[in-house]
Amino acid sequence: MTDHPALVTRPAGPAEPAKYLSVNADGALQWVADPAKATAFASMREAARMALRLPAAVRAFGLPRDVELHAYA
């Protein structure tokens, strides 16, 4: 079974672009607009796990990285 890289994203508002989770080397979290700068998780499972670890006020979920990169271009 081959894993497919995935990103963690949060829903965008009508006038707001999508945001993607970036995890820095020190573990700090930040939201970025460019999916190429976001942290790529090894699989959808890992992205979902990370999304579930975020505070409850942040609705986040995993999306396939390749699809998001293609849509952003």
Side-chain angles (χ1 to χ4, degrees), residues 2-3 6-7 14 18 20 23 30-31 33 45 47-48 51 54 56-57 63-64:
T2 304
D3 285 333
L7 304 174
Y20 304 93
V23 182
Q30 71 178 29
W31 295 98
R45 175 181 284 183
L54 296 171
L63 290 175

Side-chain angles (χ1 to χ4, degrees), residues 5-66:
L7 304 174
V8 174
T9 187
R10 65 181 190 192
E16 178 183 13
K19 299 287 184 176
Y20 304 93
L21 185 65
S22 176
V23 182
N24 297 338
D26 62 357
L29 307 177
Q30 71 178 29
W31 295 98
V32 296
D34 184 352
K37 294 180 180 177
T39 299
F41 294 89
S43 66
M44 288 293 291
R45 175 181 284 183
E46 292 303 316
R49 283 183 182 161
M50 185 60 182
L52 290 173
R53 291 182 183 137
L54 296 171
V58 179
R59 289 185 14 211
F61 51 92
L63 290 175
R65 183 177 186 268
D66 296 340

